[in-house]
Amino acid sequence: MVVGFDLGKYTVQISYYRSGMDEPATAEQITGSQVFNIPMVLCKRRGVNQWFYGREALKQHERGEGFLIDGLLRKALNGERENVEGEEIEGLALLTLFIKRSLSILGGSRVSGSITDIMFTCERLDSEVVEVMSRVTEGLRLRNCNVYFQSYAESIYHYMIHQDRELWRDSVMCSYYDGLNVTDYIFSRNPRTSPIVAFVDTSDPYRMPMPQIVSEDARAAAYERLDKQYAEHMQEALNGGYFSSLYLLGDGFKEQWYKESVGILARNRRVFVGNDLFSRGACYSLRDKYEPDETAKSHVYLGVDKLRSNIGMNVLRRGRGSYLALLDAGINWYDVKCEYELFVPEDGVLHLEIIPLDGGEHDVRDIELPELPERDPDTLRVLLRMSMSDVTTIHIHIEDLGFGEMFPSSGMEWNYTIEV
């Protein structure tokens, strides 16, 4: 079983996929409820070491029987601690506990043995989030489980390419409203490239707070104002674009207040309202790692977290010229792990070829290794490692490995940083 875990600001959703299923399914905290959102809160029962999560945590708190803790992701990212009945608990530990309890809806005690892969997806994905979530997953102690991360934008890409092609014949807009801001994602492709390059562009958040409803009499007027504001926003967002379909995502749309906006949204396109696209898209992403269909094979996604160039070098293998692919375009920068053993060319220079997939010019970067040990070139064996600290910055580490007992390593190392 592979799992897509949507890590939202206030709630999470968990989808799953097993071989033989036609499409991913989304888990419910309460079976049969058709409610997929799990509030990201914990509650400790007063006086005893008993913890509740999600909707049960809210119930315990409403009854006055426990201490409620919210803002779990924020606390973990900020390194905050929470004082719970005199005990200081790290935010990281609280988030780990919440995710562990949430995963229990997939099978209780058997979940750690059945999950082979988890894809965490969230709105903002940077080095800080990746580091914190990597520490969280270590605390989960899931045996033989691969853990990955991707942004909402990438989850949209994987979800869309598994839908009916008529829905993404032209561009697709996904409008995500969390009750405070609207963020628009636009999925598009360039069918003239091979493989076909796909993009998901993300707008700046548009502030549109959900009105506080103080009475039933005020509800209609408040929703009418919200509807008008959203209609004006979408009129501008859709202007000049060709969209086959439009998706309304997030808790902000659950009250169906957008009656006037529908006339703009549904003009010559299909409109869908949903709430589990991100977690399902994360599942499709994992499925594509093992069982890619023809569409997945023929497309590559180049998002803001993706390396946009192929990077390699021409080398000799058994005396014949060959191209060595070091980094492939389309990989997330935080997933880059590259390590090769090489013999240094006679000129002491490694020539890296950078081939952009987004229309840029082919470039060659020379990596010089000065003051090489004075040995026969056939014995100048080095270890090349490459990593990335962001989507454009590559760090290169090279160290002398020596050559057997005859030529032990000199201990020399070279470090370079290049921008692509």
Side-chain angles (χ1 to χ4, degrees):
M1 178 168 65
V2 301
V3 173
F5 197 109
D6 175 5
L7 194 66
K9 294 177 182 176
Y10 315 110
T11 62
V12 304
Q13 291 182 354
I14 303 173
S15 296
Y16 59 93
Y17 172 82
R18 292 188 178 92
S19 293
M21 294 175 61
D22 292 331
E23 59 183 11
T26 304
E28 305 164 320
Q29 187 175 4
I30 302 173
T31 303
S33 66
Q34 290 295 302
V35 176
F36 304 127
N37 283 359
I38 304 173
M40 199 188 302
V41 294
L42 288 169
C43 183
K44 181 183 181 297
R45 194 164 188 173
R46 299 186 188 279
V48 294
N49 189 28
Q50 186 177 11
W51 291 83
F52 302 91
Y53 78 98
R55 299 185 186 281
E56 188 60 33
L58 294 176
K59 289 180 182 179
Q60 292 292 324
H61 176 65
E62 289 169 0
R63 295 171 186 158
E65 298 178 2
F67 182 84
L68 188 72
I69 307 169
D70 58 10
L72 301 181
L73 182 58
R74 186 196 73 245
K75 288 180 170 66
L77 290 172
N78 295 339
E80 298 177 22
R81 292 173 173 268
E82 187 77 22
N83 189 304
V84 183
E85 294 187 316
E87 180 184 1
E88 292 283 333
I89 305 178
E90 290 186 347
L92 192 73
L94 292 169
L95 181 60
T96 303
L97 175 62
F98 171 79
I99 291 177
K100 188 173 185 178
R101 292 292 175 87
S102 300
L103 288 171
S104 67
I105 67 175
L106 295 175
S109 61
R110 299 187 303 276
V111 71
S112 62
S114 60
I115 297 177
T116 58
D117 303 80
I118 297 181
M119 177 69 77
F120 288 98
T121 183
C122 58
E123 185 173 10
R124 179 177 68 92
L125 195 61
D126 55 24
S127 56
E128 182 183 13
V129 174
V130 171
E131 180 182 355
V132 166
M133 289 309 301
S134 296
R135 293 175 62 190
V136 166
T137 53
E138 288 176 5
L140 295 176
R141 297 180 181 177
L142 294 171
R143 297 187 301 274
N144 302 317
C145 180
N146 303 307
V147 179
Y148 305 92
F149 309 99
Q150 71 183 26
S151 64
Y152 279 174
E154 187 169 1
S155 291
I156 288 171
Y157 160 76
H158 284 284
Y159 179 86
M160 288 313 309
I161 66 170
H162 287 282
Q163 305 310 302
D164 190 315
R165 279 182 178 265
E166 281 299 304
L167 297 178
W168 47 281
R169 180 185 66 254
D170 298 316
S171 297
V172 177
M173 178 175 287
C174 297
S175 190
Y176 172 62
Y177 181 32
D178 61 9
L180 183 62
N181 297 305
V182 175
T183 303
D184 299 318
Y185 298 88
I186 297 178
F187 167 89
S188 61
R189 302 178 305 139
N190 183 357
R192 294 183 295 276
T193 62
S194 182
I196 297 171
V197 177
F199 307 90
V200 178
D201 295 315
T202 307
S203 73
D204 293 328
Y206 172 71
R207 190 167 180 80
M208 198 175 76
M210 176 69 70
Q212 298 297 315
I213 308 299
V214 295
S215 68
E216 284 299 318
D217 293 337
R219 182 183 298 274
Y223 281 171
E224 184 177 345
R225 289 192 297 271
L226 185 69
D227 192 6
K228 183 177 180 180
Q229 183 182 2
Y230 184 63
E232 292 174 352
H233 165 70
M234 292 305 292
Q235 184 81 51
E236 182 178 348
L238 294 168
N239 186 35
Y242 294 94
F243 299 92
S244 304
S245 55
L246 193 151
Y247 290 75
L248 303 181
L249 310 173
D251 275 352
F253 291 112
K254 66 182 180 182
E255 296 298 330
Q256 299 184 6
W257 45 261
Y258 39 89
K259 296 179 181 178
E260 179 181 331
S261 304
V262 167
I264 297 170
L265 304 178
R267 193 173 297 160
N268 299 320
R269 66 183 67 92
R270 295 181 65 182
V271 178
F272 301 88
V273 182
N275 213 16
D276 59 349
L277 185 152
F278 299 127
S279 59
R280 286 159 62 92
C283 279
Y284 280 123
S285 178
L286 290 172
R287 193 178 89 170
D288 289 343
K289 290 181 183 294
Y290 299 105
E291 304 171 1
D293 60 16
E294 290 306 312
T295 303
K297 291 176 182 178
S298 63
H299 286 68
V300 60
Y301 168 67
L302 292 186
V304 294
D305 300 316
K306 299 290 189 178
L307 176 64
R308 297 202 168 198
S309 301
N310 289 321
I311 298 176
M313 64 174 67
N314 290 310
V315 298
L316 289 176
R317 297 188 196 219
R318 299 179 180 176
R320 306 180 74 173
S322 176
Y323 177 79
L324 174 63
L326 297 172
L327 301 178
D328 292 327
I331 188 174
N332 290 315
W333 65 263
Y334 42 80
D335 287 333
V336 167
K337 294 176 183 177
C338 170
E339 186 172 299
Y340 286 96
E341 292 185 12
L342 306 165
F343 288 97
V344 180
E346 291 188 14
D347 61 1
V349 180
L350 302 178
H351 306 281
L352 295 185
E353 297 197 14
I354 301 174
I355 308 171
L357 284 193
D358 55 2
E361 293 185 1
H362 184 149
D363 191 14
V364 177
R365 305 287 179 86
D366 292 339
I367 306 298
E368 298 184 6
L369 305 181
E371 301 179 1
L372 282 164
E374 295 184 1
R375 301 201 305 259
D376 186 289
D378 291 340
T379 67
L380 289 175
R381 188 170 60 102
V382 297
L383 176 66
L384 168 71
R385 288 197 183 101
M386 301 178 77
S387 62
M388 300 185 71
S389 55
D390 58 51
V391 75
T392 61
T393 306
I394 299 177
H395 302 285
I396 302 170
H397 174 80
I398 302 170
E399 59 185 72
D400 177 27
L401 293 177
F403 192 74
E405 296 180 0
M406 185 179 301
F407 297 106
S409 170
S410 65
M412 296 183 68
E413 297 182 354
W414 300 265
N415 291 286
Y416 297 88
T417 299
I418 64 173
E419 300 291 327
V420 295

